[in-house]
Amino acid sequence: MKKKDGMKIDSDPDEILDENLEEKLEGLLSPVAPSSSYIDELQNRLTKTPEVVVEYPNYLISILVLSSGFVLGTLLLFFLSKIFRLTSSKAKA
Amino acid sequence: MENRSEQDETILDQAIQGNEAAFSILYKDNVKKIYSYIYYRTGNVSDAEDLTARVFQRALKHITRYKKTSVPFSAWLYRIAHNLVANWHRDNQRRKEVPIEDHVDLRSKQDIPDHEIEKKQEVEGLMRAVRQLPSDRQMVLILKYVEDLSNKEIGEIMGKSEGAIKSLYHRTLMDLRDYFEVKE
């Protein structure tokens, strides 16, 4: 087979084009690696369970505060009404 | 060699049973391949990183349902990546160009003489042409050239026969050739 400038003269022009194209693709498409920090970070994200602390509200304290407020309010109303009754009866007498 | 494949099988079995350390090994074995594939399909580092993370998150979530076959485990990952990239393209509508500068920078600078601007333009043109191709053809090219896989291996990944991949590859080359002929 005759050769001129490294090209096969008798070859099918389509084949030569394909070979050139394949060479170009080979030169263009090479493996691309992510950064090692990205690889490690993603590995950590995938395999390590996140440490999440869930804090539930303490309902007991709020119930105590509300109930003591209610009791104190009731007592205050009771004493105020007592005082009011006493003063009004004294005023009538 | 057999020992290695037996070891791989054991690791895969453990990962299927929910062993995170085993999954971690599978991750290390496959992350570069999946990243490379996604990088060439999306054309930028940030999307490639984001989608690679999503591929492995999805794999970890569903690994217990993975059914072992003769097809390599990486085929499953590639299929997840392929679907996610398809969704990404749908969401983005317009396709982004590969930043060639990024790609070129990854190779040794000694390989690229400064005066080769023409060559760079040619590379950009070729990359543009590759990105115009349907997704299955892009996949064939990436797996063939980037991952250096045989037609048989590509067929296993894509769920097609070796012959189908061969003809798909030829049609892809013809499309690329037509693209350049029209351009010239």
Side-chain angles (χ1 to χ4, degrees):
Chain A
M1 198 172 277
K2 292 172 195 172
K3 282 189 179 182
K4 190 185 174 186
D5 297 335
M7 253 209 222
K8 293 169 192 167
I9 292 176
D10 295 344
S11 302
D12 181 3
D14 283 356
E15 267 181 35
I16 294 167
L17 266 171
D18 281 352
E19 278 174 20
N20 286 341
L21 196 56
E22 284 183 307
E23 275 171 24
K24 280 181 195 171
L25 285 168
E26 213 168 313
L28 174 69
L29 301 170
S30 50
V32 178
S35 65
S36 55
S37 61
Y38 167 78
I39 295 176
D40 295 339
E41 192 200 317
L42 181 57
Q43 189 176 15
N44 282 342
R45 262 198 285 159
L46 288 167
T47 51
K48 285 190 182 138
T49 345
E51 283 178 24
V52 179
V53 180
V54 182
E55 284 189 12
Y56 292 100
N58 197 340
Y59 292 114
L60 191 67
I61 291 171
S62 49
I63 289 168
L64 272 172
V65 170
L66 278 173
S67 52
S68 55
F70 179 74
V71 170
L72 281 172
T74 316
L75 282 171
L76 190 70
L77 279 174
F78 175 76
F79 284 118
L80 281 174
S81 61
K82 275 267 182 199
I83 291 163
F84 180 72
R85 255 185 245 158
L86 273 171
T87 47
S88 57
S89 60
K90 271 182 185 172
K92 275 180 189 172
Chain B
M1 192 76 181
E2 257 180 46
N3 280 343
R4 173 73 185 146
S5 85
E6 272 174 28
Q7 205 183 339
D8 289 348
E9 287 291 304
T10 316
I11 290 164
L12 183 56
D13 286 335
Q14 287 171 344
I16 292 168
Q17 283 158 16
N19 184 328
E20 283 188 351
F23 183 83
S24 194
I25 295 167
L26 292 176
Y27 162 80
K28 281 254 176 185
D29 286 347
N30 292 285
V31 65
K32 285 179 185 170
K33 287 190 244 178
I34 298 300
Y35 175 87
S36 227
Y37 171 73
I38 296 174
Y39 174 79
Y40 279 107
R41 294 293 314 277
T42 58
N44 67 82
V45 171
S46 61
D47 285 320
E49 286 184 349
D50 179 40
L51 288 174
T52 305
R54 279 158 65 185
V55 167
F56 284 98
Q57 278 159 356
R58 192 173 281 191
L60 179 62
K61 195 177 167 188
H62 299 292
I63 189 128
T64 49
R65 282 191 269 157
Y66 176 78
K67 296 269 180 288
K68 267 173 72 180
T69 57
S70 57
V71 178
F73 176 71
S74 62
W76 187 59
L77 294 174
Y78 274 117
R79 272 200 289 272
I80 297 174
H82 183 74
N83 292 337
L84 286 174
V85 170
N87 292 344
W88 179 86
H89 276 298
R90 209 174 303 139
D91 293 344
N92 278 270
Q93 294 289 322
R94 67 182 176 88
R95 292 182 177 195
K96 290 173 189 171
E97 298 292 325
V98 171
I100 296 297
E101 294 78 15
D102 289 359
H103 170 69
V104 167
D105 284 344
L106 290 164
R107 292 187 286 170
S108 166
K109 285 194 175 173
Q110 287 171 342
D111 298 342
I112 311 139
D114 295 338
H115 64 276
E116 284 197 356
I117 296 166
E118 252 183 57
K119 192 182 171 187
K120 198 176 168 185
Q121 282 173 340
E122 192 184 36
V123 166
E124 281 174 7
L126 181 58
M127 203 61 224
R128 208 173 295 126
V130 169
R131 301 183 66 71
Q132 299 294 320
L133 295 168
S135 61
D136 58 340
R137 294 186 186 194
Q138 284 186 48
M139 193 174 196
V140 168
L141 286 182
I142 295 166
L143 295 179
K144 198 170 189 66
Y145 288 101
V146 181
E147 301 307 332
D148 206 20
L149 298 180
S150 67
N151 288 341
K152 189 174 177 271
E153 289 166 322
I154 297 170
E156 284 177 343
I157 288 170
M158 294 179 73
K160 288 177 198 270
S161 69
E162 195 179 344
I165 296 298
K166 204 175 172 184
S167 71
L168 188 64
Y169 173 65
H170 271 280
R171 287 202 302 274
T172 307
L173 283 188
M174 278 160 71
D175 278 357
L176 284 175
R177 205 175 59 190
D178 290 347
Y179 175 87
F180 283 106
E181 277 172 359
V182 167
K183 217 181 119 192
E184 281 161 14

